[in-house]
C-alpha cells in the first residue's frame, strides 16, 4: 500500500516531536537568551559566522559666520558572531529503560534541552563579562571594595556610564544581573520596585524587581561577588539552525541513542561599552 506509514515515517515523526520538546525546554530554561539581541533570523546556511554592522555616531557642530562647514565622517565596522557546533549525547540501555520506575527517555530529552540552554547562557555570560577596558573603564571594582557588595553608588555609576554611551532608560531593555549573594545586599537598597508591581510587563526568569531603570535578574550563573549591568544591545546571540534532537537504535549495546545539537554563538557588541562588569576588587 503506497500510503502506509512505515518505520521510517514513524521514526521521522518521533524525531520531529522530541526536537520540538527540546526547543521548548531551551526557550523555557535559557535565562540570559531573552535578555540580549537574537540575530538567529539573519544566520544563513553556508556561512561560518555572522557579521553585525556597527557605525560611529555624528556630533553636531557650531557654524561660525563666513566659514564653511566641516563634514562628519561615518565609519562602519563589524562585530562577528562565530558559530560553534554544540551537542549533548546520551544512551539509554534497554534494561535501564524497562526496569526504571521513572520515564527515563522523557527525563533524558528534558535534560538535553536544559544542557543546551545552559550552554547558550554560558556563551552569552562570557561575552557580557567582556566590558571595555578603554577609558572610561567598564570593568570595575565595587564602591565597597573591601566587602565586594553592591551599593547604590555602583548602580548610579553604572547608569551614568551607560547613558554616556547613548543608552536610553525609556524602555525595558536595561538589566542588572546579580548573583544570589549580591541579591541580599541589593534588597537593602531603598528604591527597589518589586516585580509583582510591574503591570503588563513580562517578568523574566529570575527577575525580582527594578531599580533606577535596571530590571534586576538574579542568576546562579554568576560567582558570588559578580554583577553585570547591561543593555539588550550589549551582546548578540545567533543560532544557525534550530536546536534538534536525533534518535537511533544502538544494537551493539541494546540501547537507544539520543543526540541534541545546535550551531550557535555569541559576541559582545558596541566595543563592550553597553555592559559593565563588577567583580572582586582585591
Amino acid at each position: 500500500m503506497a500510503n502506509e506509514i512505515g518505520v521510517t515515517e514513524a521514526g521521522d515523526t518521533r524525531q520531529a516531536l522530541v526536537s520540538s520538546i527540546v526547543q521548548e525546554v531551551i526557550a523555557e530554561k535559557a535565562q540570559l537568551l531573552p535578555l540580549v539581541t537574537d540575530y538567529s533570523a539573519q544566520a544563513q546556511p553556508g556561512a561560518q559566522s555572522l557579521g553585525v554592522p556597527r557605525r560611529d555616531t555624528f556630533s553636531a557642530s557650531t557654524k561660525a559666520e563666513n566659514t564653511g562647514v566641516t563634514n562628519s565622517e561615518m565609519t562602519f565596522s563589524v562585530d562577528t558572531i562565530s558559530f560553534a557546533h554544540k551537542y549533548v549525547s546520551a544512551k539509554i540501555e534497554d534494561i535501564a529503560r524497562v526496569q526504571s520506575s521513572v520515564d527515563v527517555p522523557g527525563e533524558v530529552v528534558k535534560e538535553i534541552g536544559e544542557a543546551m540552554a545552559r550552554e547558550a547562557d554560558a556563551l552569552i555570560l562570557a561575552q557580557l563579562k567582556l566590558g571595555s577596558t578603554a577609558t572610561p573603564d567598564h570593568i570595575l571594582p565595587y564602591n565597597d571594595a573591601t566587602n565586594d557588595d553592591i551599593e547604590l553608588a555602583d548602580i548610579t555609576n553604572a547608569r551614568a556610564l551607560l547613558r554616556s554611551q547613548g543608552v536610553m532608560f525609556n524602555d525595558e531593555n536595561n538589566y542588572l544581573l546579580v548573583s544570589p549573594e549580591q541579591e541580599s545586599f541589593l534588597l537593602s537598597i531603598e528604591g527597589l520596585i518589586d516585580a509583582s508591581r510591574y503591570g503588563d510587563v513580562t517578568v523574566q526568569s529570575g527577575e525580582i524587581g527594578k531599580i533606577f531603570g535596571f530590571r534586576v535578574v538574579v542568576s546562579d550563573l554568576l560567582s558570588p561577588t559578580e554583577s553585570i549591568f547591561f543593555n539588550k544591545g550589549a551582546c548578540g546571540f545567533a543560532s544557525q539552525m534550530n536546536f534538534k534532537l536525533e534518535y537511533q537504535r544502538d544494537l551493539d549495546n541494546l540501547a537507544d541513542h539520543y543526540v541534541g545539537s545546535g550551531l550557535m554563538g555569541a559576541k559582545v557588541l558596541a566595543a563592550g561599552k553597553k555592559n559593565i562588569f563588577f567583580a572582586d576588587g582585591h
Side-chain angles (χ1 to χ4, degrees):
M1 296 174 61
N3 294 324
E4 285 183 346
I5 298 177
V7 175
T8 300
E9 289 80 6
D12 290 344
T13 301
R14 179 179 183 180
Q15 293 197 163
L17 288 173
V18 293
S19 291
S20 68
I21 294 173
V22 169
Q23 292 176 33
E24 290 175 2
V25 171
I26 292 171
E28 177 184 344
K29 296 296 184 179
Q31 186 179 25
L32 303 187
L33 185 53
L35 311 185
V36 300
T37 306
D38 191 345
Y39 291 96
S40 298
Q42 300 178 30
Q44 301 299 319
Q48 296 182 346
S49 61
L50 172 65
V52 180
R54 170 162 49 95
R55 61 172 175 80
D56 294 340
T57 57
F58 285 162
S59 298
S61 302
T62 301
K63 183 183 181 303
E65 186 177 359
N66 299 321
T67 61
V69 298
T70 301
N71 293 324
S72 298
E73 293 184 357
M74 180 173 287
T75 303
F76 287 88
S77 55
V78 174
D79 293 316
T80 302
I81 300 175
S82 298
F83 299 116
H85 200 177
K86 302 292 185 176
Y87 74 93
V88 181
S89 177
K91 290 183 180 180
I92 307 171
E93 291 190 348
D94 291 347
I95 188 172
R97 175 177 54 80
V98 172
Q99 295 184 355
S100 175
S101 60
V102 300
D103 178 12
V104 177
E107 291 300 312
V108 166
V109 169
K110 180 181 177 182
E111 179 55 32
I112 287 175
E114 292 184 1
M116 295 299 285
R118 289 194 296 270
E119 182 62 25
D121 277 349
L123 291 173
I124 293 169
L125 181 61
Q127 295 299 310
L128 286 175
K129 291 183 178 181
L130 299 178
S132 171
T133 56
T135 304
D137 201 339
H138 281 226
I139 299 180
L140 300 171
Y142 291 103
N143 184 61
D144 183 358
T146 301
N147 298 311
D148 293 318
D149 57 356
I150 193 167
E151 296 181 344
L152 181 60
D154 300 311
I155 299 172
T156 56
N157 184 25
R159 181 182 170 96
L161 277 174
L162 291 180
R163 286 186 71 88
S164 71
Q165 299 301 317
V167 173
M168 304 298 291
F169 283 81
N170 56 356
D171 54 28
E172 302 294 333
N173 293 327
N174 296 301
Y175 296 93
L176 165 53
L177 187 69
V178 298
S179 66
E181 292 77 8
Q182 292 298 322
E183 177 188 11
S184 61
F185 300 118
L186 191 65
L187 290 174
S188 66
I189 298 176
E190 191 172 340
L192 181 67
I193 301 173
D194 191 280
S196 63
R197 299 168 56 189
Y198 278 5
D200 294 333
V201 178
T202 301
V203 177
Q204 301 292 347
S205 174
E207 186 171 0
I208 63 170
K210 184 188 295 185
I211 187 166
F212 285 87
F214 292 103
R215 299 173 66 175
V216 182
V217 177
V218 180
S219 175
D220 60 5
L221 296 169
L222 294 177
S223 297
T225 62
E226 293 179 340
S227 300
I228 305 175
F229 296 81
F230 65 98
N231 175 265
K232 190 178 182 71
C235 180
F237 175 88
S239 174
Q240 196 175 24
M241 69 178 187
N242 287 333
F243 298 103
K244 63 179 181 179
L245 189 141
E246 297 171 285
Y247 158 87
Q248 69 177 15
R249 280 291 292 171
D250 180 357
L251 294 179
D252 289 339
N253 293 290
L254 297 178
D256 293 335
H257 189 189
Y258 294 86
V259 180
S261 63
L263 290 168
M264 56 182 168
K267 178 66 176 178
V268 65
L269 306 177
K273 288 297 187 182
K274 291 188 176 182
N275 48 303
I276 303 164
F277 180 40
F278 282 84
D280 191 338
H282 301 118

